[in-house]
Amino acid sequence: MDYVELGRTGIQVSRCCLGTMTWGSQNSEAEAHEQMDYALAQGVTFWDTAEMYASPPNPETQGSTERHIGSWLKKTGKRQEIVLASKVAGRGAAFGGLSWMRPDGGSTRQTKAQIDYAVEQSLKRLQTDYLDLYQLHWPDRPVRVFGGQTFKDYEQDFEAFGDILEALDAHVKKGTIRSVGVSNEFPWGVMRFLAESEQRGLPRIASIQNAYHLANRTFEYGLAEIAMREQVGLLAYSPLAQGALTGKYLDGKLPAGSRKALYNRMQRYEGPGAEEAIRGYVELAGHFGVDPAQLALKFCDTREFVTATIIGATSMVQLKTNIAAFDLAWTEEMEKAVNALHALQPNPCP
């Protein structure tokens, strides 16, 4: 396993990051513990969660993922061996308000009071007294968070960038947060946060956690240069397009126990051109004699603007396959082939 610096923080993270959002929905606590045991044994020391998880969001499972991690930390005493990241929810309108996540029943926002509450609750569930990375799960601005290929303006009603950083800074000074990051963010938002931190001496964002995979390379258009020049690398989530890039949904297949079968939330990966593009990458993997999941994961791992690629699995077989992908040799032939397919069908699953 390779390790790199998280932004300019001095914190070293594994290039493979353990995603956890199925723990508490598709995975039991015992299964979550088994995944954590195996991942750490393979050198995966960077783990990502969120106050909203398990996914998809609902009041019955909210916080269960952090609780499963917390019980593992208490049982093993290995908190110092991992870099632990979590997230505060963004503007709740993106998910119908999420009022059940806040004690007053209000919509989630990134106010100081809500950030304070979210940090406190995450620490309790995780049974730790600090987080190595704390991220804004999606913007407080009412932007189009998921999907879409066109721009639409939004009302100018959002918490000021500096105010959000000030709220986070209070926790940095307390020692409950070591570094901060953003997620599902856009170039303007990243640059505004960077400007506020530089002008006012506030915490500097260390990472951008956005969707990135073979069928969605939109990060490269505006954010990749920022990630490189400003040292705020990408934490690539959904690198398998929620499993679509394994080919398991091609030709109308609906595997029992899959996320599509359980939740029918795969529309982001079923737009015009998606089936053709995904089939192309699956067939390309066959041409090179590699597992489609491993081709997709290694693609992300070889991008120079990527700090870490976030994997997720509901079975140990999947987890082992995913982690092994980081040992795959990436060739110039693979690079040329994926870029040729991208040119034919660019970003069908933004």
Side-chain angles (χ1 to χ4, degrees), residues 121-178:
Q121 295 303 307
S122 285
L123 293 175
K124 287 180 180 178
R125 288 188 291 262
L126 290 163
Q127 300 192 55
T128 184
D129 55 6
Y130 71 98
L131 290 161
D132 297 286
L133 174 65
Y134 198 59
Q135 304 154 99
L136 307 172
H137 204 155
W138 61 92
D140 192 76
R141 312 188 303 285
V143 296
R144 175 159 41 194
V145 178
F146 303 119
Q149 300 269 24
T150 57
F151 175 75
K152 181 180 180 180
D153 203 4
Y154 46 87
E155 60 177 306
Q156 301 298 294
D157 167 34
F158 53 86
E159 293 296 307
F161 293 95
D163 290 348
I164 293 172
L165 288 178
E166 282 188 350
L168 294 170
D169 187 40
H171 293 278
V172 172
K173 289 174 177 175
K174 285 170 56 178
T176 50
I177 293 174
R178 295 180 67 195

Coordinates of all heavy atoms in Angstrom, one line a residue, residues 121-178:
Q121 N -21.9 14.9 18.1 CA -22.6 13.6 18.0 C -21.8 12.6 17.3 O -21.8 11.4 17.7 CB -24.0 13.8 17.2 CG -25.0 14.7 17.9 CD -25.3 14.2 19.3 OE1 -25.7 13.0 19.5 NE2 -25.2 15.0 20.3
S122 N -21.0 13.0 16.2 CA -20.2 12.1 15.6 C -19.1 11.5 16.5 O -18.8 10.3 16.5 CB -19.5 12.7 14.3 OG -20.4 12.8 13.3
L123 N -18.5 12.4 17.3 CA -17.5 12.0 18.2 C -18.0 10.9 19.2 O -17.4 9.9 19.6 CB -16.9 13.2 19.0 CG -16.0 14.1 18.1 CD1 -15.6 15.3 19.0 CD2 -14.8 13.5 17.6
K124 N -19.3 11.2 19.7 CA -19.9 10.2 20.6 C -20.1 8.9 20.0 O -19.8 7.8 20.5 CB -21.2 10.8 21.1 CG -21.1 11.9 22.1 CD -22.5 12.4 22.6 CE -22.3 13.6 23.6 NZ -23.7 14.1 24.0
R125 N -20.7 8.9 18.8 CA -20.9 7.6 18.1 C -19.7 6.9 17.8 O -19.6 5.7 17.8 CB -21.8 7.9 16.8 CG -23.2 8.3 17.1 CD -24.0 8.3 15.8 NE -23.6 9.4 14.9 CZ -24.2 10.6 14.8 NH1 -25.2 10.9 15.6 NH2 -23.8 11.5 14.0
L126 N -18.6 7.6 17.4 CA -17.4 7.0 17.0 C -16.5 6.6 18.2 O -15.5 6.0 18.0 CB -16.6 8.0 16.1 CG -17.2 8.1 14.7 CD1 -16.6 9.4 14.0 CD2 -16.9 6.9 13.8
Q127 N -16.9 7.1 19.4 CA -16.2 6.8 20.6 C -14.7 7.2 20.5 O -13.8 6.5 20.8 CB -16.3 5.3 21.0 CG -17.7 4.9 21.2 CD -17.8 3.5 21.8 OE1 -17.3 3.3 22.9 NE2 -18.6 2.6 21.2
T128 N -14.5 8.5 20.0 CA -13.2 9.0 19.9 C -13.3 10.5 20.3 O -14.4 11.1 20.3 CB -12.7 8.9 18.4 OG1 -11.3 9.4 18.4 CG2 -13.5 9.7 17.4
D129 N -12.1 11.1 20.6 CA -12.2 12.5 21.0 C -11.6 13.4 19.9 O -11.5 14.6 20.1 CB -11.4 12.7 22.3 CG -10.0 12.2 22.2 OD1 -9.5 11.8 21.1 OD2 -9.3 12.2 23.2
Y130 N -11.4 12.9 18.7 CA -11.0 13.8 17.6 C -11.2 13.1 16.2 O -11.3 11.8 16.1 CB -9.5 14.1 17.7 CG -8.5 13.0 17.4 CD1 -7.9 12.8 16.1 CD2 -8.2 12.0 18.4 CE1 -7.1 11.8 15.9 CE2 -7.4 11.0 18.1 CZ -6.8 10.8 16.9 OH -6.0 9.8 16.6
L131 N -11.3 13.9 15.2 CA -11.4 13.4 13.8 C -10.2 14.0 13.0 O -9.9 15.1 13.2 CB -12.7 13.9 13.2 CG -14.0 13.3 13.7 CD1 -15.2 14.1 13.4 CD2 -14.2 11.9 13.1
D132 N -9.6 13.1 12.2 CA -8.5 13.5 11.5 C -8.9 14.5 10.3 O -8.1 15.3 9.9 CB -7.7 12.3 10.9 CG -7.2 11.5 12.0 OD1 -6.2 11.9 12.7 OD2 -7.8 10.4 12.3
L133 N -10.0 14.2 9.7 CA -10.5 15.0 8.6 C -12.0 15.2 8.8 O -12.7 14.2 9.0 CB -10.2 14.3 7.3 CG -10.8 15.0 6.0 CD1 -10.2 16.4 5.8 CD2 -10.6 14.1 4.8
Y134 N -12.5 16.4 8.7 CA -13.9 16.7 8.8 C -14.4 17.4 7.6 O -13.8 18.5 7.3 CB -14.3 17.5 10.1 CG -15.7 17.4 10.5 CD1 -16.3 16.2 10.8 CD2 -16.5 18.6 10.6 CE1 -17.7 16.1 11.1 CE2 -17.8 18.5 10.9 CZ -18.4 17.3 11.2 OH -19.7 17.2 11.6
Q135 N -15.4 16.9 6.9 CA -15.7 17.4 5.6 C -17.2 17.9 5.5 O -18.0 17.5 6.3 CB -15.6 16.3 4.5 CG -14.2 15.6 4.5 CD -14.3 14.2 4.0 OE1 -14.0 13.9 2.8 NE2 -14.6 13.3 4.8
L136 N -17.4 18.9 4.7 CA -18.7 19.4 4.4 C -19.3 18.5 3.3 O -18.9 18.5 2.2 CB -18.7 20.8 3.9 CG -17.9 21.8 4.8 CD1 -17.7 23.2 4.1 CD2 -18.6 22.0 6.1
H137 N -20.3 17.7 3.7 CA -20.8 16.6 2.8 C -21.3 17.1 1.5 O -21.0 16.4 0.4 CB -21.9 15.8 3.5 CG -22.0 14.4 3.1 ND1 -22.6 13.4 3.8 CD2 -21.7 13.8 1.9 CE1 -22.6 12.3 3.2 NE2 -22.1 12.5 2.0
W138 N -21.9 18.2 1.4 CA -22.3 18.9 0.2 C -22.5 20.3 0.6 O -22.6 20.7 1.7 CB -23.5 18.2 -0.5 CG -24.8 18.2 0.2 CD1 -25.8 19.2 0.2 CD2 -25.2 17.2 1.2 NE1 -26.8 18.8 1.0 CE2 -26.5 17.6 1.6 CE3 -24.7 16.0 1.6 CZ2 -27.2 16.9 2.5 CZ3 -25.4 15.2 2.5 CH2 -26.7 15.7 3.0
P139 N -22.5 21.2 -0.4 CA -22.5 22.7 -0.1 C -23.8 23.1 0.7 O -24.9 22.5 0.6 CB -22.5 23.3 -1.5 CG -21.8 22.3 -2.3 CD -22.3 21.0 -1.9
D140 N -23.6 24.2 1.4 CA -24.8 24.9 2.0 C -25.6 25.7 0.9 O -26.7 26.0 1.1 CB -24.3 25.9 3.1 CG -25.5 26.4 3.9 OD1 -26.0 25.6 4.8 OD2 -25.9 27.5 3.7
R141 N -24.9 26.0 -0.2 CA -25.6 26.6 -1.3 C -26.5 25.6 -2.0 O -26.3 24.4 -2.0 CB -24.5 27.1 -2.4 CG -23.3 27.8 -1.8 CD -22.5 28.4 -2.9 NE -22.0 27.4 -3.9 CZ -21.0 26.6 -3.7 NH1 -20.4 26.4 -2.5 NH2 -20.6 25.8 -4.7
P142 N -27.7 26.1 -2.5 CA -28.7 25.3 -3.1 C -28.3 24.9 -4.5 O -29.1 25.1 -5.5 CB -30.0 26.1 -3.0 CG -29.5 27.5 -3.1 CD -28.2 27.5 -2.4
V143 N -27.1 24.3 -4.7 CA -26.6 23.9 -6.0 C -27.2 22.6 -6.4 O -27.7 21.8 -5.6 CB -25.1 23.9 -6.1 CG1 -24.5 25.3 -5.9 CG2 -24.6 22.9 -5.1
R144 N -27.1 22.2 -7.7 CA -27.5 20.9 -8.1 C -26.3 19.9 -7.6 O -25.2 19.9 -8.2 CB -27.6 20.8 -9.6 CG -27.9 19.3 -10.1 CD -28.5 19.3 -11.5 NE -28.0 20.2 -12.4 CZ -28.6 20.5 -13.6 NH1 -29.7 19.9 -13.9 NH2 -28.0 21.3 -14.4
V145 N -26.6 19.2 -6.6 CA -25.6 18.4 -6.0 C -25.1 17.2 -6.8 O -24.0 16.9 -7.0 CB -26.0 18.0 -4.5 CG1 -24.9 17.1 -3.9 CG2 -26.3 19.2 -3.7
F146 N -26.1 16.4 -7.3 CA -25.8 15.2 -8.0 C -26.3 15.2 -9.4 O -27.4 15.5 -9.7 CB -26.4 14.0 -7.2 CG -26.0 13.9 -5.8 CD1 -26.9 14.0 -4.8 CD2 -24.7 13.7 -5.5 CE1 -26.5 13.9 -3.5 CE2 -24.3 13.6 -4.1 CZ -25.2 13.7 -3.1
G147 N -25.4 14.9 -10.3 CA -25.7 14.8 -11.7 C -26.0 16.1 -12.4 O -25.9 17.2 -11.9
G148 N -26.3 15.9 -13.7 CA -26.6 17.1 -14.5 C -25.4 17.6 -15.3 O -24.2 17.5 -14.9
Q149 N -25.6 18.0 -16.6 CA -24.6 18.4 -17.5 C -24.6 19.9 -17.8 O -23.8 20.4 -18.5 CB -24.7 17.6 -18.8 CG -24.6 16.1 -18.6 CD -23.1 15.6 -18.8 OE1 -22.2 16.4 -18.5 NE2 -23.0 14.4 -19.1
T150 N -25.7 20.6 -17.3 CA -25.9 22.0 -17.6 C -25.9 22.9 -16.3 O -26.1 22.4 -15.2 CB -27.2 22.2 -18.3 OG1 -28.3 21.7 -17.5 CG2 -27.2 21.5 -19.7
F151 N -25.6 24.2 -16.5 CA -25.6 25.1 -15.4 C -27.0 25.7 -15.1 O -27.7 26.1 -16.1 CB -24.6 26.2 -15.6 CG -24.6 27.3 -14.6 CD1 -24.0 27.0 -13.3 CD2 -25.2 28.5 -14.8 CE1 -24.0 28.0 -12.3 CE2 -25.3 29.5 -13.8 CZ -24.7 29.2 -12.6
K152 N -27.3 25.8 -13.9 CA -28.5 26.5 -13.5 C -28.2 27.4 -12.3 O -27.7 26.9 -11.3 CB -29.7 25.5 -13.2 CG -31.0 26.2 -12.8 CD -32.1 25.2 -12.5 CE -33.4 25.9 -12.1 NZ -34.5 25.0 -11.8
D153 N -28.5 28.6 -12.3 CA -28.2 29.5 -11.2 C -29.1 29.2 -10.0 O -30.2 28.6 -10.2 CB -28.3 31.0 -11.6 CG -27.5 31.9 -10.7 OD1 -26.8 31.4 -9.8 OD2 -27.6 33.1 -10.9
Y154 N -28.7 29.7 -8.8 CA -29.5 29.4 -7.6 C -29.6 30.6 -6.8 O -28.9 31.6 -7.0 CB -28.7 28.3 -6.8 CG -27.2 28.6 -6.7 CD1 -26.7 29.4 -5.7 CD2 -26.3 28.1 -7.6 CE1 -25.4 29.7 -5.6 CE2 -25.0 28.3 -7.5 CZ -24.5 29.1 -6.5 OH -23.2 29.4 -6.4
E155 N -30.5 30.6 -5.9 CA -30.7 31.8 -5.0 C -29.5 32.0 -4.1 O -28.9 31.1 -3.7 CB -32.0 31.6 -4.2 CG -32.0 30.4 -3.2 CD -33.2 30.3 -2.4 OE1 -33.5 31.3 -1.7 OE2 -33.8 29.3 -2.3
Q156 N -29.2 33.3 -3.9 CA -28.0 33.6 -3.1 C -28.3 33.6 -1.6 O -28.2 34.6 -0.9 CB -27.5 35.0 -3.6 CG -27.1 35.0 -5.1 CD -26.0 34.1 -5.4 OE1 -24.9 34.2 -5.0 NE2 -26.3 33.0 -6.2
D157 N -28.7 32.4 -1.2 CA -29.0 32.3 0.3 C -28.2 31.1 0.8 O -28.5 30.0 0.6 CB -30.5 32.0 0.4 CG -30.9 31.5 1.8 OD1 -30.2 31.9 2.8 OD2 -31.8 30.7 1.9
F158 N -27.1 31.4 1.4 CA -26.2 30.4 2.0 C -25.3 31.0 3.1 O -25.1 32.2 3.1 CB -25.4 29.7 0.9 CG -24.6 30.6 0.0 CD1 -23.3 31.0 0.4 CD2 -25.1 31.1 -1.2 CE1 -22.6 31.9 -0.4 CE2 -24.4 31.9 -2.0 CZ -23.1 32.3 -1.6
E159 N -24.9 30.1 3.9 CA -23.9 30.5 5.0 C -22.6 31.0 4.3 O -22.1 30.3 3.4 CB -23.6 29.3 5.9 CG -24.8 28.9 6.8 CD -25.2 30.0 7.7 OE1 -24.4 30.5 8.5 OE2 -26.4 30.3 7.7
A160 N -22.1 32.1 4.8 CA -20.9 32.6 4.2 C -19.7 31.6 4.4 O -19.6 30.9 5.4 CB -20.5 33.9 4.9
F161 N -18.9 31.6 3.4 CA -17.7 30.6 3.4 C -16.9 30.9 4.6 O -16.4 29.9 5.3 CB -16.9 30.8 2.1 CG -17.6 30.4 0.9 CD1 -18.3 31.3 0.1 CD2 -17.6 29.0 0.5 CE1 -18.9 30.9 -1.1 CE2 -18.2 28.6 -0.7 CZ -18.9 29.6 -1.5
G162 N -16.6 32.1 4.9 CA -15.8 32.4 6.1 C -16.4 32.0 7.4 O -15.8 31.6 8.3
D163 N -17.8 32.2 7.5 CA -18.5 31.8 8.7 C -18.4 30.3 8.9 O -18.2 29.8 10.1 CB -19.9 32.2 8.6 CG -20.1 33.7 8.7 OD1 -19.1 34.4 9.0 OD2 -21.2 34.2 8.4
I164 N -18.5 29.5 7.8 CA -18.4 28.1 8.0 C -17.0 27.7 8.4 O -16.8 26.8 9.3 CB -18.7 27.4 6.6 CG1 -20.2 27.6 6.2 CG2 -18.4 25.9 6.6 CD1 -20.5 27.1 4.8
L165 N -16.0 28.3 7.9 CA -14.6 28.0 8.3 C -14.3 28.4 9.7 O -13.6 27.7 10.4 CB -13.6 28.7 7.3 CG -13.5 28.1 5.9 CD1 -12.5 28.9 5.1 CD2 -13.0 26.7 6.0
E166 N -14.9 29.5 10.1 CA -14.8 30.0 11.5 C -15.4 28.9 12.5 O -14.8 28.6 13.5 CB -15.4 31.3 11.8 CG -14.6 32.5 11.3 CD -15.2 33.8 11.7 OE1 -16.4 33.8 12.2 OE2 -14.5 34.8 11.5
A167 N -16.5 28.4 12.1 CA -17.2 27.3 12.9 C -16.3 26.1 13.0 O -16.1 25.5 14.1 CB -18.5 27.0 12.4
L168 N -15.7 25.7 11.9 CA -14.8 24.6 11.9 C -13.5 24.9 12.7 O -12.9 24.0 13.4 CB -14.4 24.2 10.5 CG -15.6 23.6 9.7 CD1 -15.2 23.5 8.2 CD2 -16.1 22.3 10.2
D169 N -13.0 26.2 12.6 CA -11.8 26.6 13.3 C -11.9 26.4 14.8 O -10.9 26.0 15.4 CB -11.5 28.0 12.9 CG -10.1 28.5 13.4 OD1 -9.2 27.7 13.3 OD2 -10.0 29.6 13.9
A170 N -13.1 26.6 15.3 CA -13.2 26.5 16.8 C -12.9 25.0 17.2 O -12.3 24.8 18.3 CB -14.7 26.8 17.2
H171 N -13.3 24.1 16.4 CA -13.0 22.7 16.7 C -11.5 22.3 16.4 O -11.0 21.5 17.1 CB -13.9 21.8 15.9 CG -15.4 21.9 16.3 ND1 -15.9 21.3 17.4 CD2 -16.4 22.7 15.8 CE1 -17.2 21.6 17.5 NE2 -17.5 22.5 16.6
V172 N -11.0 22.9 15.4 CA -9.5 22.7 15.2 C -8.7 23.2 16.4 O -7.8 22.5 16.9 CB -9.1 23.5 13.9 CG1 -7.5 23.4 13.8 CG2 -9.7 22.9 12.7
K173 N -9.1 24.4 16.9 CA -8.4 24.9 18.1 C -8.6 24.1 19.3 O -7.8 24.0 20.2 CB -8.9 26.4 18.3 CG -8.3 27.3 17.3 CD -8.9 28.7 17.4 CE -8.3 29.7 16.4 NZ -8.9 31.0 16.5
K174 N -9.8 23.4 19.4 CA -10.1 22.5 20.6 C -9.4 21.2 20.4 O -9.2 20.5 21.4 CB -11.6 22.3 20.7 CG -12.4 23.4 21.2 CD -13.9 23.2 21.0 CE -14.4 21.8 21.6 NZ -15.8 21.6 21.5
G175 N -9.0 20.9 19.2 CA -8.3 19.6 19.0 C -9.3 18.5 18.6 O -8.8 17.3 18.5
T176 N -10.5 18.8 18.4 CA -11.5 17.8 18.0 C -11.5 17.5 16.5 O -12.0 16.5 16.1 CB -12.9 18.1 18.5 OG1 -13.2 19.5 18.0 CG2 -13.0 18.1 20.0
I177 N -10.9 18.4 15.8 CA -10.7 18.2 14.3 C -9.3 18.6 14.0 O -8.8 19.6 14.4 CB -11.7 19.1 13.5 CG1 -13.1 18.7 13.7 CG2 -11.3 19.1 12.0 CD1 -14.1 19.7 13.1
R178 N -8.6 17.7 13.2 CA -7.2 18.0 12.8 C -7.2 18.7 11.4 O -6.3 19.5 11.2 CB -6.4 16.7 12.7 CG -6.3 16.0 14.0 CD -5.4 14.7 13.8 NE -4.1 15.0 13.4 CZ -3.2 14.1 12.9 NH1 -3.6 12.9 12.7 NH2 -2.0 14.4 12.5

